[in-house]
């Protein structure tokens, strides 16, 4: 008596995604309809379109939402300050008082490095213009012994 092979299950065809419509695709993490992309703020800030959208969106957030954004962005403020697109967002956050402590912490000990960087210098200038005098003086004091270095640098 011969054994017959088990009946074969019909193979399922993978479902195909419709092709994206031209001009409507958003980069990963980009805001959609003014919604905050919580959990991907850093990636969104590093995207050209996402950075612009966040620049418009974050200053309009409630105090609680702004605190949440600060907490998510704070560990990355230094890197974003030097990023081609992220620096624009950090500059836009500089005038917002709830962001000052996070920005000061990101810049502390790195002022000379940031001032000698194309994007970083812009961010530090924006922060210093908005910071309380005591905090601004604290960061500016990092220039002691480095003024010539910064003055001779293309960006400093």
């Amino acid at each position: 008596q011969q054994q017959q092979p088990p009946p074969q299950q019909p193979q399922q065809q993978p479902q195909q995604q419709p092709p994206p419509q031209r001009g409507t695709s958003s980069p990963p993490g980009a805001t959609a309809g003014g919604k905050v992309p919580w959990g991907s703020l850093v990636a969104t800030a590093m995207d050209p379109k996402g950075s612009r959208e966040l620049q418009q969106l974050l200053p309009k957030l409630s105090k609680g939402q702004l605190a949440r954004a600060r907490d998510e962005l704070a560990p990355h403020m230094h890197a974003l300050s030097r990023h081609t697109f992220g620096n624009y967002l950090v500059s836009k956050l500089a005038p917002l008082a709830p962001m000052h402590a996070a920005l000061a912490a990101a810049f502390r000990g790195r002022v000379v490095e940031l001032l000698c960087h194309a994007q970083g210098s812009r961010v530090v200038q924006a922060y210093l213009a908005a910071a309380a005098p005591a905090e601004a003086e604290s960061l500016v004091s990092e220039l002691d012994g480095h003024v010539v270095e910064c003055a001779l640098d293309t960006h400093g």
Side-chain angles (χ1 to χ4, degrees), residues 38-58:
W38 299 117
S40 62
L41 291 179
V42 175
T44 303
M46 295 200 290
D47 174 81
K49 182 180 177 186
S51 177
R52 285 190 300 271
E53 291 173 349
L54 286 177
Q55 289 172 59
Q56 294 173 347
L57 184 63
L58 288 180

Side-chain angles (χ1 to χ4, degrees), residues 34 36 38 52-66 69 89 92-93 96 99:
V36 180
W38 299 117
R52 285 190 300 271
E53 291 173 349
L54 286 177
Q55 289 172 59
Q56 294 173 347
L57 184 63
L58 288 180
K60 298 174 186 175
L61 296 180
S62 69
K63 286 182 181 180
Q65 290 172 317
L66 195 56
L89 175 65
K92 187 78 169 186
L93 296 176
L96 304 176
M99 295 295 194

Side-chain angles (χ1 to χ4, degrees), residues 60-137:
K60 298 174 186 175
L61 296 180
S62 69
K63 286 182 181 180
Q65 290 172 317
L66 195 56
R68 182 176 174 185
R70 179 200 57 222
D71 294 345
E72 185 174 333
L73 292 169
H76 310 280
M77 289 286 197
H78 175 255
L80 287 172
S81 297
R82 300 178 328 151
H83 189 270
T84 305
F85 305 112
N87 82 91
Y88 293 106
L89 175 65
V90 179
S91 293
K92 187 78 169 186
L93 296 176
L96 304 176
M99 295 295 194
H100 286 184
L103 290 169
F107 300 159
R108 198 164 288 116
R110 300 170 167 162
V111 172
V112 173
E113 171 211 335
L114 288 168
L115 287 177
C116 293
H117 188 273
Q119 288 79 22
S121 64
R122 221 175 288 125
V123 172
V124 172
Q125 289 173 37
Y127 173 75
L128 291 176
E135 187 55 49
E137 286 176 30

Side-chain angles (χ1 to χ4, degrees), residues 8-43:
Q8 289 187 348
Q9 300 267 338
Q11 290 183 335
Q12 290 182 336
Q13 296 294 324
Q15 290 184 342
Q16 292 182 342
Q17 296 289 331
Q21 295 177 356
R22 295 190 112 186
T24 60
S25 63
S26 295
T31 62
K35 293 184 179 180
V36 180
W38 299 117
S40 62
L41 291 179
V42 175

